[in-house]
Amino acid sequence: MEGAQGGSSNNQAKHKKRKSPVQRWRPISTEAVPQKDDVNETSNSGSRQVIEDCITSSQILASDGPTTVVIEVTAKDASLSKNNSSLESSSAKVVIEDNVEVSGFNKDLDGSNVSETYSSSIEVDVPLMRFVKGKGGSVQKKIEEDTGVKIIFPSSREETSVVLEGSSSESIRKASQMIANVLEEAVQSRMLDYSHFISLPLAIHPDLVDKLHYFQSSILRASACNEESDKDENQSEGSVDEMDHDHKQADGSSVSINLQVQEESVKVKIDSKGSQSDFGIDKSIFIKPKTFHLTVVMLKLWNKDRIAKASEVLQSISSQVNEALENRPISIQLRGLTCMKGSPAKARVVYAPVLEVGGEGRLARACKVIIDAFVKSGLVLERDARQELKLHATIMNVRHRKSKKRNQRNDSFDARDIFRKYGKEEWGEYHIPEVHLSQRFKFDESGYYHCCSSIPLPAEMQAE
């Protein structure tokens, strides 16, 4: 702003309407003011905020030039670290300049009677953002009503900074704590789905994949390469238990496998859409053979830091896992079919039981090493840590079902005929070559789950 240029200019400036002073808060890097006379900012361990304020008054306008006043106040910054809310105090510099408009700041010209607006930003990972908002904004509204704090969400879906604006540091602290409680509850609930899991890949064995294709096509009485039944398969995301992927062979040829079962297909009633509607069986409830695996433990890794930590944990226990296997190759046998809860008449999950070849318990000990390490790291939910491991290879699961017409809570299918034909099926023996940190809903070129990290297990002896 230029100074007055003569008496007429001064008189004109004096009669200008005084603007209401306002304030803008913006978080900056950690700094503090060591002395009142020192306006240079130096590094400090506490977080701080800078208030940029400018007022236009008749007294200032009457002066010969621009006026800048620097004063010091004590500000409080509420910051959220993970799930713990902390409140820190630091010195903050208030710069008062003319001709800059800011909002929410009112005071007299002598600096007294200050009315402040407090602001702080907290980091909320993208998968958790919806829980702070709540259904129809219900959670956000409750926090705002209870604390008087305004919650401002980022405009971009990729951003994670949520801004809190309130009239006091206490209101900011209270809102931060309420958000922390919401996030803690969300992480522990089933509303936040599992994102990763530790898997023992079985789909690396082509003969097993072929047998699963034949099993599926024999039940549905359809060819494994039927385009009509396969066209939308890549869009299925699966469920917590097991998921599969595109099962069409690379050369597009049909699968012809000889199994130690009767040559006839399971006789079921198939409708025009390729589903056995009367028995609750359709193509979507079969796992995708190219994702066939055993699950060791499920994980909720909702940000890059947790994924990196999980990868580090897996790599750190490589030698311990192999020691549990006595540094010898490990193989499993799949035999028969079993229902997980329920009965064949009202089946929800059908799986092949897993037996360790040799029955020495080495695989169970190796899995325990893995689970214990992830529990110790804090990456496994408490309720999951209490569950006893039961290795199984899921083949059919109603949670995969695409149709929304059936009641999901009571969904089931009649598997009695399937058990008559395949109940004692010998699926074969298979070597387990490695352990994966697998990501759900994402697949590699092979069709198996995306591998975030892996450790090798003892290799099989090559036959001469």
Side-chain angles (χ1 to χ4, degrees):
M1 174 178 172
E2 297 182 356
Q5 302 295 327
S8 60
S9 298
N10 284 334
N11 293 333
Q12 183 179 3
K14 289 181 180 181
H15 291 86
K16 284 187 177 180
K17 185 178 180 181
R18 177 178 174 179
K19 296 182 180 179
S20 299
V22 286
Q23 160 191 296
R24 179 176 66 251
W25 289 75
R26 60 179 177 87
I28 64 170
S29 59
T30 302
E31 295 175 338
V33 182
Q35 298 179 3
K36 289 187 178 181
D37 296 333
D38 185 5
V39 297
N40 294 324
E41 300 172 349
T42 58
S43 298
N44 191 6
S45 60
S47 57
R48 55 159 306 204
Q49 312 245 351
V50 170
I51 307 175
E52 295 180 350
D53 180 43
C54 177
I55 61 173
T56 304
S57 68
S58 57
Q59 294 179 356
I60 292 178
L61 290 171
S63 65
D64 293 334
T67 303
T68 299
V69 182
V70 180
I71 63 174
E72 233 182 280
V73 299
T74 299
K76 301 234 181 196
D77 178 45
S79 60
L80 185 66
S81 175
K82 293 186 179 179
N83 290 329
N84 296 320
S85 178
S86 62
L87 194 63
E88 300 176 354
S89 299
S90 62
S91 293
K93 184 177 67 175
V94 180
V95 181
I96 304 174
E97 299 174 330
D98 52 351
N99 206 30
V100 178
E101 186 175 354
V102 241
S103 62
F105 189 74
N106 294 291
K107 64 181 183 328
D108 295 335
L109 293 179
D110 59 359
S112 62
N113 193 24
V114 178
S115 176
E116 299 175 329
T117 297
Y118 289 77
S119 176
S120 178
S121 64
I122 61 176
E123 295 299 313
V124 179
D125 294 295
V126 175
L128 303 179
M129 199 75 73
R130 62 188 177 95
F131 295 102
V132 181
K133 294 180 180 179
K135 187 176 181 180
S138 58
V139 175
Q140 175 186 359
K141 183 178 180 181
K142 177 173 175 55
I143 295 175
E144 290 180 335
E145 289 179 348
D146 290 352
T147 64
V149 168
K150 183 179 180 180
I151 303 175
I152 304 173
F153 290 96
S155 56
S156 171
R157 292 185 178 181
E158 304 300 323
E159 296 178 8
T160 60
S161 182
V162 176
V163 176
L164 306 179
E165 291 184 350
S167 58
S168 68
S169 61
E170 177 60 24
S171 64
I172 295 290
R173 187 204 64 78
K174 184 178 179 181
S176 298
Q177 186 59 55
M178 290 183 70
I179 291 175
N181 295 339
V182 168
L183 297 180
E184 177 66 23
E185 183 178 347
V187 168
Q188 296 293 334
S189 74
R190 296 185 182 276
M191 295 298 292
L192 179 65
D193 208 350
Y194 296 96
S195 59
H196 296 72
F197 61 101
I198 301 299
S199 73
L200 307 177
L202 296 177
I204 60 172
H205 300 286
D207 54 338
L208 177 56
V209 172
D210 290 341
K211 288 180 181 180
L212 293 170
H213 279 311
Y214 183 83
F215 170 79
Q216 176 177 320
S217 61
S218 68
I219 294 175
L220 296 176
R221 304 187 68 179
S223 171
C225 62
N226 189 312
E227 291 185 5
E228 183 176 355
S229 59
D230 289 349
K231 62 183 179 181
D232 61 344
E233 196 163 19
N234 285 335
Q235 299 176 0
S236 176
E237 290 188 339
S239 69
V240 168
D241 297 290
E242 312 292 340
M243 294 149 288
D244 56 335
H245 197 45
D246 184 19
H247 71 251
K248 196 172 184 180
Q249 296 205 69
D251 59 0
S253 61
S254 298
V255 178
S256 179
I257 306 298
N258 292 323
L259 299 177
Q260 296 178 356
V261 296
Q262 297 181 15
E263 288 297 315
E264 60 179 324
S265 298
V266 179
K267 295 181 179 179
V268 295
K269 181 178 179 181
I270 307 296
D271 63 21
S272 59
K273 295 183 179 180
S275 65
Q276 188 191 350
S277 56
D278 290 351
F279 298 90
I281 296 176
D282 62 54
K283 189 178 182 64
S284 65
I285 69 173
F286 289 86
I287 66 102
K288 296 174 182 170
K290 287 188 177 181
T291 65
F292 204 54
H293 67 279
L294 306 179
T295 298
V296 178
V297 64
M298 299 298 299
L299 303 169
K300 293 185 178 183
L301 310 178
W302 55 82
N303 59 35
K304 293 179 180 179
D305 290 340
R306 289 179 69 87
I307 295 173
K309 184 177 181 180
S311 298
E312 292 174 2
V313 171
L314 183 61
Q315 294 299 321
S316 69
I317 60 175
S318 179
S319 60
Q320 299 176 49
V321 172
N322 282 280
E323 287 173 6
L325 296 174
E326 300 176 3
N327 293 305
R328 292 186 287 127
I330 188 72
S331 296
I332 55 100
Q333 180 184 42
L334 301 177
R335 179 187 300 171
L337 293 176
T338 303
C339 280
M340 184 178 290
K341 300 180 181 180
S343 66
K346 292 185 177 181
R348 293 181 58 83
V349 178
V350 171
Y351 66 91
V354 176
L355 302 173
E356 178 186 331
V357 175
E360 301 174 84
R362 293 185 297 128
L363 180 58
R365 290 194 292 273
C367 289
K368 188 176 187 306
V369 170
I370 296 171
I371 294 173
D372 288 349
F374 277 89
V375 170
K376 185 178 180 180
S377 71
L379 295 173
V380 177
L381 298 184
E382 186 176 332
R383 72 164 185 272
D384 293 335
R386 293 195 298 265
Q387 292 183 357
E388 182 181 356
L389 176 65
K390 183 178 181 180
L391 288 175
H392 61 280
T394 299
I395 296 178
M396 303 173 71
N397 190 334
V398 294
R399 295 189 65 178
H400 295 193
R401 194 187 301 280
K402 293 180 181 179
S403 173
K404 304 300 182 181
K405 294 180 180 180
R406 299 179 66 88
N407 187 326
Q408 293 184 358
R409 183 178 295 275
N410 300 317
D411 194 5
S412 64
F413 60 96
D414 189 342
R416 286 176 293 185
D417 202 26
I418 297 174
F419 272 77
R420 281 193 289 268
K421 300 299 181 183
Y422 292 97
K424 296 182 180 180
E425 173 69 13
E426 294 286 348
W427 300 94
E429 296 183 3
Y430 303 97
H431 172 244
I432 301 176
E434 52 193 6
V435 181
H436 284 198
L437 170 59
S438 300
Q439 181 177 345
R440 297 182 63 209
F441 316 128
K442 186 176 181 180
F443 306 94
D444 290 333
E445 291 182 2
S446 65
Y448 193 70
Y449 298 104
H450 174 65
C451 180
C452 301
S453 182
S454 66
I455 57 174
L457 300 182
E460 281 186 302
M461 299 295 292
Q462 295 295 330
E464 295 182 0

